[in-house]
Amino acid sequence: MAAVSLPTEPAAPRADVRRWRRYLADERAEAAVYRNLAARRSGEEREILAALAEAEGRHEQHWIDLLGDDVGKPLRGSLRTRVLAVLAKRFGSVFVLALMQRAEDRSPYADDVDATARMAADERIHGEVVRGLANRGRKRLSGTFRAAVFGANDGLVSNLALIIGISASGADRHFVLLSGVAGLLAGALSMGAGEYVSVRSQRELLEASAPHPEAGSAVADLDVDANELALVYRARGMPEAEAGAHAAEVLSGIGERRPRTGSTPVTDENEAVGNGLSAAVSSFCFFASGAIIPVLPFLFGMQGWPAIAVAGTLVGLALLGTGAVVGVLSGASPAKRAFRQLAIGFGAAVVTYVLGLLFGTGSA
């Protein structure tokens, strides 16, 4: 009697195998990013990142099951994911979280027939989780980072425009250099002072909005028949009915003995605004670091069009860099933000150059 051969499953197409192995490598690399980030965090953030790494492990197992005997030697993840893993291990910064947010948002699983609907949904939710963690870091950076980025951009654009405008008017190298240094110092001092006043004023406004520290002690002496405690809650934004009910609860001794205002704690608001002195110092330093770049060619003896060309190139590279950084932190396209920054900066410089030509021609 002849032996009966059992049917075997057809081998998966090589193109599918290659795609599955690439997905497997990326899942492993992304799990490593989350584990490295978790190792540098504590408390709730550590738990969240560890849970994300575990979820990536479930996705990893899906591709292992599909590949079967074709798993083969583990591939390296994509260059982007491997770079993120290194950055997460060494720095664990908000930049990595912002980049991971973009990576999760661009997951191909929604359009891949071999990925389950649950995996696609997981990736979308992972993006929101990472977005929330990145937003925490953005809030911690917001005050000082805002002053740093805007200070650097203002220094780059304003001093490049100043130098180009003066050069176009026919001034010699020494006058252009002197004007550039004067613009650097004046702008940096102005930016630092303005940032300090701005942040301090905002903090003082927030402090003025806080409940008076002695207001809670007056609750015990309120007239329970005609009290104005409900007005406090209504003034803070609580609906009338809810304010009346909460006031009655407080006065009856069921709830809190100190009135809740319904407002965000001022300490949290102040943390988001930042420290006035640190913002001022950052603004001064970054404006100066930006403003010195267009001065460098003239400082090293160049003049005329060659100096303008070198200054423009250096400033352009710096604008691309700051724009890309803002794009990364905002979760947007770094390239798009970089070229937008470049267009705005060079647009201002071109306008100033044309004005310099007009004034130079008029004075001739």
Side-chain angles (χ1 to χ4, degrees):
M1 182 175 179
V4 178
S5 60
L6 296 176
T8 59
E9 293 185 3
R14 299 312 302 171
D16 288 345
V17 171
R18 286 193 296 270
R19 189 175 78 259
W20 298 343
R21 293 183 70 193
R22 174 56 58 197
Y23 287 156
L24 174 60
D26 286 341
E27 291 291 357
R28 287 171 170 168
E30 288 177 8
V33 172
Y34 290 131
R35 284 194 295 270
N36 290 335
L37 287 171
R40 300 180 65 87
R41 295 292 197 276
S42 60
E44 185 181 38
E45 289 191 12
R46 185 189 188 101
E47 294 175 2
I48 293 172
L49 289 165
L52 288 175
E54 182 180 350
E56 300 296 349
R58 294 196 303 268
H59 297 176
E60 175 185 339
Q61 188 60 48
H62 171 82
W63 301 118
I64 291 176
D65 294 340
L66 269 182
L67 284 164
D69 296 334
D70 292 322
V71 170
K73 183 179 179 181
L75 298 179
R76 303 179 71 184
S78 65
L79 178 61
R80 170 186 55 80
T81 310
R82 284 186 280 123
V83 169
L84 286 176
V86 173
L87 292 175
K89 186 174 183 179
R90 293 186 176 274
F91 303 108
S93 68
V94 64
F95 291 93
V96 179
L97 286 170
L99 289 170
M100 284 303 297
Q101 172 188 322
R102 283 181 52 79
E104 297 286 5
D105 289 342
R106 293 182 301 188
S107 172
Y109 290 169
D111 301 319
D112 196 300
V113 296
D114 296 315
T116 66
R118 181 175 295 180
M119 291 171 64
D122 283 351
E123 294 297 310
R124 178 61 61 189
I125 295 303
H126 292 175
E128 292 306 310
V129 174
V130 176
R131 189 189 306 273
L133 292 176
N135 285 341
R136 293 186 181 186
R138 291 184 184 110
K139 287 181 179 180
R140 289 191 288 264
L141 283 175
S142 60
T144 302
F145 181 76
R146 175 176 55 85
V149 169
F150 289 132
N153 284 337
D154 283 349
L156 288 165
V157 174
S158 64
N159 231 26
L160 177 65
L162 173 66
I163 286 174
I164 289 179
I166 293 176
S167 297
S169 69
D172 62 21
R173 183 184 71 85
H174 295 288
F175 186 76
V176 174
L177 180 60
L178 180 62
S179 300
V181 173
L184 183 156
L185 293 174
L189 289 170
S190 176
M191 285 289 296
E195 192 66 32
Y196 179 82
V197 171
S198 173
V199 172
R200 285 298 306 171
S201 298
Q202 191 170 356
R203 291 175 68 92
E204 288 165 2
L205 286 173
L206 291 173
E207 290 169 0
S209 301
H212 194 283
E214 298 180 3
S217 61
V219 173
D221 299 324
L222 286 174
D223 184 343
V224 295
D225 296 324
N227 75 84
E228 297 177 340
L229 182 57
L231 298 180
V232 175
Y233 301 124
R234 292 176 62 186
R236 293 283 174 176
M238 191 177 288
E240 181 178 359
E242 186 180 348
H246 187 61
E249 182 183 7
V250 171
L251 289 173
S252 66
I254 297 175
E256 297 174 311
R257 298 305 300 171
R258 293 175 62 88
R260 287 199 305 241
T261 63
S263 63
T264 303
V266 176
T267 52
D268 293 342
E269 296 266 3
N270 282 342
E271 287 177 5
V273 171
N275 178 271
L277 183 60
S278 64
V281 171
S282 296
S283 184
F284 177 93
C285 293
F286 278 85
F287 183 97
S289 65
I292 192 64
I293 290 177
V295 179
L296 291 176
F298 298 92
L299 191 63
F300 286 98
M302 299 182 69
Q303 60 183 347
W305 277 107
I308 292 176
V310 172
T313 301
L314 294 175
V315 169
L317 293 173
L319 287 171
L320 288 172
T322 57
V325 169
V326 172
V328 168
L329 279 180
S330 64
S333 168
K336 184 177 180 180
R337 293 293 185 272
F339 284 108
R340 184 183 68 178
Q341 202 89 333
L342 182 67
I344 293 173
F346 277 3
V350 168
V351 170
T352 310
Y353 173 72
V354 172
L355 292 175
L357 283 177
L358 294 175
F359 282 111
T361 302
S363 62

